[in-house]
């Protein structure tokens, strides 16, 4: 199953960092937060990534094009250009980087990857949040349902929109991207989707969190998986500092081994 990662926005609320780099390339513990997200999926066996870039996408491309050379000893014959790698790297990932346009919104970015993702269910997440969510349990919950999309519901107070859930039916009854309710369950941004979701995205200016998800609510096709562990987004400089401090003290999202 492929993993699509939204990595194309401007990240204006983290402008101290994003004026020079795309938000998913902002580092935590010396590595882009995008890398941390990919390590989580890889730990659970999901290693085929489609990165939906836009703003400063060339930095994401350069990062993966030079990934091995920056982390592995090698001998190079400068005349022929032949490279002999003296050691391996521990990531056996396949990475596709798409330029989905600087101005496309989240739904539009997803639709532009339809040719790569429409052959079956796929994972989807944002490039700015980390968690210790069990991806396999999330996928199993989705497969056991008849939903077109299963989101991960997490607890986070303040500034996020609360979900209204039907716990008996394991179905989302109302979806609010922003709201005044504190302490409820919110959308944690780790999804499993069926190809049917592409039909709900009208154009480049469609926001995934608005029309497509609201339509799924109306159709009874948006389910949820309740993750009760760690979750943290990197929405501001303060959030970045929280993650940096956590990285220095046994970070809870680091479920993989070095």
């Amino acid at each position: 199953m492929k993993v699509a990662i939204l990595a194309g926005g401007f990240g204006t609320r983290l402008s101290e960092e994003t004026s020079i780099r795309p938000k998913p390339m902002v580092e935590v513990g010396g590595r882009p937060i995008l890398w941390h997200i990919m390590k989580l999926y890889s730990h659970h066996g999901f290693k085929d990534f489609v990165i939906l870039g836009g703003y400063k996408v060339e930095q994401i491309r350069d990062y993966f094009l030079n990934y091995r050379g920056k982390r592995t000893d090698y001998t190079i014959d400068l005349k022929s250009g032949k490279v002999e790698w003296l050691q391996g790297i521990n990531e056996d990932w396949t990475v596709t980087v798409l330029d989905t346009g600087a101005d496309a919104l989240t739904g539009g970015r997803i639709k532009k990857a339809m040719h790569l993702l429409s052959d079956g269910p796929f994972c989807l997440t944002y490039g700015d949040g980390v968690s210790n969510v069990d991806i396999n349990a999330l996928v199993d919950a989705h497969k056991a349902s008849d939903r077109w999309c299963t989101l991960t519901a997490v607890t986070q107070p303040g500034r996020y929109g609360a979900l209204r859930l039907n716990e008996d039916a394991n179905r989302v009854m109302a979806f609010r991207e922003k709201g005044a309710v504190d302490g409820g369950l919110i959308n944690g941004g780790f999804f499993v989707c069926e190809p049917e979701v592409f039909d709900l995205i009208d154009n480049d200016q469609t926001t995934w969190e608005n029309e497509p998800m609201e339509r799924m609510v109306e159709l009874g096709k948006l389910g949820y998986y309740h993750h009760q562990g760690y979750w943290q987004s990197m929405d501001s400089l303060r959030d970045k500092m929280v993650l940096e401090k956590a990285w220095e003290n046994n970070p809870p999202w680091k479920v993989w081994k070095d």
Side-chain angles (χ1 to χ4, degrees):
M1 186 180 293
K2 292 182 179 179
V3 180
I5 304 177
L6 287 158
F10 291 97
T12 53
R13 284 177 286 187
L14 191 59
S15 58
E16 300 90 345
E17 292 276 356
T18 56
S19 60
I20 59 173
R21 60 175 63 89
K23 191 176 181 183
M25 296 304 293
V26 175
E27 293 186 350
V28 174
R31 298 274 197 158
I33 193 169
L34 177 62
W35 176 88
H36 292 262
I37 295 165
M38 295 168 76
K39 289 290 284 187
L40 169 69
Y41 277 98
S42 178
H43 170 76
H44 291 286
F46 299 84
K47 302 179 181 182
D48 192 350
F49 298 97
V50 180
I51 300 176
L52 311 179
Y55 173 66
K56 296 187 182 295
V57 66
E58 66 278 0
Q59 293 191 23
I60 300 175
R61 286 173 168 164
D62 289 346
Y63 179 76
F64 289 106
L65 283 172
N66 298 303
Y67 191 91
R68 186 170 188 176
K70 288 184 176 181
R71 288 167 178 79
T72 307
D73 295 339
Y74 61 84
T75 300
I76 184 169
D77 184 325
L78 294 178
K79 183 177 181 180
S80 67
K82 182 180 179 181
V83 177
E84 178 186 357
W85 301 104
L86 303 181
Q87 63 188 62
I89 58 173
N90 57 359
E91 274 81 59
D92 55 342
W93 303 343
T94 299
V95 183
T96 301
V97 182
L98 293 183
D99 183 356
T100 59
D103 299 319
L105 300 182
T106 48
R109 297 190 192 284
I110 295 167
K111 186 117 180 185
K112 287 188 174 183
M114 183 170 65
H115 62 293
L116 297 173
L117 302 172
S118 60
D119 58 348
F122 61 94
C123 293
L124 171 70
T125 193
Y126 303 107
D128 63 355
V130 293
S131 176
N132 60 357
V133 59
D134 186 333
I135 302 297
N136 283 303
L138 166 62
V139 170
D140 288 344
H142 175 77
K143 289 180 176 179
S145 74
D146 63 347
R147 313 301 183 207
W148 290 350
C149 177
T150 299
L151 61 78
T152 300
V154 301
T155 302
Q156 173 72 21
R159 88 174 190 273
Y160 294 95
L163 301 169
R164 185 163 62 87
L165 306 176
N166 181 331
E167 295 186 11
D168 292 334
N170 197 41
R171 181 163 71 89
V172 177
M173 302 296 292
F175 182 89
R176 286 193 297 164
E177 177 60 11
K178 291 291 183 286
V181 179
D182 290 348
L185 293 176
I186 64 165
N187 168 27
F190 291 86
F191 305 91
V192 183
C193 302
E194 297 293 329
E196 283 83 353
V197 302
F198 292 113
D199 294 332
L200 305 176
I201 301 171
D202 296 329
N203 52 51
D204 282 3
Q205 296 306 300
T206 299
T207 301
W208 168 246
E209 302 78 15
N210 291 344
E211 295 90 346
M213 296 190 73
E214 291 290 355
R215 290 171 183 169
M216 282 187 280
V217 168
E218 294 170 2
L219 295 168
K221 291 297 184 179
L222 181 61
Y224 73 94
Y225 168 78
H226 186 187
H227 170 60
Q228 301 184 53
Y230 182 85
W231 177 88
Q232 177 65 52
S233 67
M234 188 179 66
D235 207 39
S236 66
L237 186 59
R238 176 188 174 279
D239 293 336
K240 178 183 176 344
M241 293 171 65
V242 167
L243 291 172
E244 286 282 9
K245 185 175 181 180
W247 183 256
E248 297 171 1
N249 298 282
N250 190 27
W253 70 88
K254 187 179 180 294
V255 295
W256 61 89
K257 295 181 180 180
D258 292 324

